[in-house]
Amino acid sequence: MNLEEFNRAVFPMQNKLYRFALSMVANNELAEDIVQEAFLKLWKTRESLHEILNLEAWSMRMVKNLCLDHFKSKYRKTMLFETKYEQASVEVTPQKQTEITDTMQQINLILETLPNQQAQIIRLRDMEGYSYKEIAEVLEIDINVVKVNLHRARKAVKVALEKKESYGL
Amino acid sequence: MDYSQITQLLDKYWEGETSLAEETQLKNFFAQDIQHIPTSLRPYQAHFQFLKTYKEENVVSDTFEEKMMAKLQAAMLEEEQEKVVNIQPTISNLKDTNEIKPIPKKQKSFVRQLRPLISIAATLTLLIGSISLYINYEKLFPPTVAQADTKTYVYDENHETQEAYEATKFALSLLSSKMNSAKKHLKHLDQFDKSTKRIFNPKNKKK
């Protein structure tokens, strides 16, 4: 596999991988570094990449493991809190932005309060549009665990949304 | 617009039973302006909006690809350098005439091939050696001096005993003849005995 072929196969996944890394490490730069590390790893094994059935799921799993490695090496708890809600768009007008970010942050908070696995599953499913099988592959869990946790996560989100509405928040 | 279908889909969604296509349908529905959405469904719009916006907003930075390409090129350079390092010794070997290299290789492999045979041969040699040593022990190591002496003694036993017997006989006869000649002189002691008896034995006196 030459560089061009590699780029064509790998770069379209960059945003999905980045978001997934970001949901785990909550730091933009670190998330990018992790994705780049994953790409480098893929590059080093480029000769056997064609044997991988689902390159995207494979890469996502790689990112997940790299994130876990990062936490194993140094668990930067303080950094987690500092940078968790810093992600904001600059393209929208300031007024609209505050409105949006308010709601967005509230919804984001709902997802944040979910158990880690449930939040990951709902992100992979609803944001990235992954099938149950792919999610099971990425997170290295049973497909039934995926289904059960997605059900629980969505129920929790629904309850939180209704609560938010009834309290007029 | 038929909202009942959407409501149904939404219920299915919260239960976690929708397919990916149905979920796209829901996402598209909630992507429209809030005015087109019935009030009963409005609370849920934020969730779908969040999913969409979050996805749009959280993308890699503009410099990502640039950085990545730099890293990839660095990795490629490293690989090439590694290749050069790996190739260099083989080139030098090729230059140093082809005859030199294969010979030690072949010798090594030959010795390695023979190694089990050598061990078997060594074991056999040891076994045969020890057996032949055991069989030919007396031929290889003749009896020592002490052993030879005892053997000649045994061989001349009769002759020796005869000689000893004669010698002893002579010694004993000499002893007896000397004893007899000495005994003759002891007869005088009888007189002493008689005289002492007369003194110390009154019965003899009376007689």
Side-chain angles (χ1 to χ4, degrees):
Chain A
M1 192 181 255
N2 61 30
L3 189 61
E4 252 181 66
E5 285 172 327
F6 178 79
N7 289 351
R8 236 180 291 142
V10 152
F11 276 109
M13 306 187 291
Q14 61 184 23
N15 288 328
K16 280 188 182 184
L17 297 180
Y18 168 74
R19 275 192 296 273
F20 187 46
L22 189 65
S23 73
M24 288 182 85
V25 298
N27 177 304
N28 309 29
E29 280 175 33
L30 186 61
E32 278 194 7
D33 282 348
I34 283 168
V35 176
Q36 284 175 357
E37 205 180 324
F39 279 6
L40 275 179
K41 274 195 165 187
L42 287 173
W43 171 252
K44 278 170 190 166
T45 55
R46 62 188 178 280
E47 299 308 328
S48 52
L49 280 190
H50 60 274
E51 290 165 21
I52 298 163
L53 289 174
N54 190 338
L55 184 64
E56 197 171 300
W58 173 272
S59 310
M60 290 287 266
R61 198 163 64 202
M62 195 183 265
V63 165
K64 184 199 78 180
N65 289 329
L66 285 171
C67 288
L68 293 178
D69 285 349
H70 169 77
F71 284 121
K72 262 183 217 163
S73 60
K74 17 179 151 169
Y75 186 65
R76 301 173 188 176
K77 210 172 182 178
T78 47
M79 207 175 71
L80 251 169
F81 282 105
E82 278 169 18
T83 53
K84 204 143 206 177
Y85 306 111
E86 271 180 15
Q87 300 111 34
S89 166
V90 203
E91 290 158 29
V92 205
T93 57
Q95 197 197 343
K96 205 179 178 186
Q97 189 200 331
T98 40
E99 274 175 37
I100 290 171
T101 46
D102 275 356
T103 337
M104 291 303 105
Q105 275 189 12
Q106 280 167 4
I107 307 292
N108 200 10
L109 258 174
I110 294 172
L111 288 186
E112 296 297 337
T113 50
L114 288 176
N116 208 9
Q117 202 176 55
Q118 287 184 21
Q120 274 182 335
I121 290 171
I122 207 166
R123 277 174 196 274
L124 288 174
R125 176 74 179 188
D126 290 342
M127 226 176 261
E128 314 299 353
Y130 279 11
S131 68
Y132 295 136
K133 203 186 154 199
E134 282 171 324
I135 297 169
E137 216 174 295
V138 171
L139 299 179
E140 292 168 282
I141 49 174
D142 191 75
I143 198 160
N144 290 316
V145 178
V146 175
K147 284 178 189 170
V148 168
N149 278 298
L150 182 71
H151 171 71
R152 284 180 189 161
R154 280 189 181 155
K155 246 191 175 161
V157 170
K158 189 192 178 204
V159 169
L161 288 171
E162 282 164 359
K163 216 181 197 175
K164 179 177 160 278
E165 183 64 22
S166 56
Y167 287 117
L169 287 165
Chain B
M1 201 173 178
D2 185 17
Y3 295 125
S4 64
Q5 195 218 343
I6 291 294
T7 318
Q8 250 180 346
L9 265 184
L10 196 64
D11 286 340
K12 221 175 145 189
Y13 172 82
W14 295 126
E15 288 300 314
E17 287 162 1
T18 40
S19 68
L20 280 169
E22 287 169 332
E23 282 163 25
T24 320
Q25 209 180 324
L26 275 175
K27 280 177 198 167
N28 289 337
F29 174 78
F30 283 108
Q32 60 185 326
D33 205 87
I34 198 156
Q35 288 164 338
H36 303 294
I37 292 165
T39 33
S40 61
L41 297 179
R42 277 179 194 176
Y44 308 119
Q45 197 198 15
H47 172 66
F48 291 95
Q49 232 175 18
F50 167 77
L51 295 174
K52 196 175 167 251
T53 330
Y54 187 90
K55 198 178 167 181
E56 283 165 2
E57 282 178 3
N58 289 288
V59 291
V60 291
S61 60
D62 299 335
T63 52
F64 178 86
E65 275 189 39
E66 208 178 298
K67 278 185 196 167
M68 192 63 239
M69 286 310 288
K71 279 188 183 178
L72 280 176
Q73 267 154 6
M76 278 164 85
L77 253 174
E78 211 174 285
E79 275 172 22
E80 269 172 34
Q81 277 170 350
E82 271 174 25
K83 265 184 196 171
V84 170
V85 171
N86 289 334
I87 288 164
Q88 267 175 350
T90 53
I91 287 169
S92 65
N93 281 336
L94 286 171
K95 279 178 185 170
D96 298 338
T97 64
N98 288 333
E99 291 157 25
I100 297 165
K101 212 198 170 181
I103 289 166
K105 252 196 173 179
K106 271 188 181 175
Q107 272 182 342
K108 261 190 180 179
S109 63
F110 185 65
V111 170
R112 272 184 193 166
Q113 277 179 348
L114 278 185
R115 194 170 282 174
L117 289 174
I118 289 168
S119 61
I120 291 166
T123 320
L124 280 176
T125 320
L126 209 68
L127 202 69
I128 293 166
S130 54
I131 289 168
S132 61
L133 191 73
Y134 177 74
I135 293 167
N136 301 316
Y137 184 78
E138 291 202 346
K139 278 185 192 172
L140 286 166
F141 300 99
T144 55
V145 183
Q147 283 171 328
D149 268 5
T150 49
K151 286 216 168 174
T152 46
Y153 178 79
V154 172
Y155 182 67
D156 293 337
E157 197 177 18
N158 293 328
H159 180 254
E160 279 276 307
T161 37
Q162 195 63 35
E163 233 177 37
Y165 173 70
E166 293 297 332
T168 321
K169 207 176 161 187
F170 171 74
L172 284 173
S173 62
L174 184 74
L175 182 74
S176 73
S177 67
K178 291 287 175 193
M179 279 284 278
N180 285 335
S181 65
K183 206 181 164 185
K184 278 174 195 169
H185 298 287
L186 282 172
K187 272 184 181 174
H188 301 292
L189 284 172
D190 283 347
Q191 199 59 44
F192 176 75
D193 192 39
K194 276 175 190 173
S195 52
T196 49
K197 268 181 184 173
R198 268 180 208 161
I199 298 163
F200 293 111
N201 200 343
K203 279 179 186 175
N204 282 351
K205 222 180 182 180
K206 279 174 189 177
K207 271 180 184 176

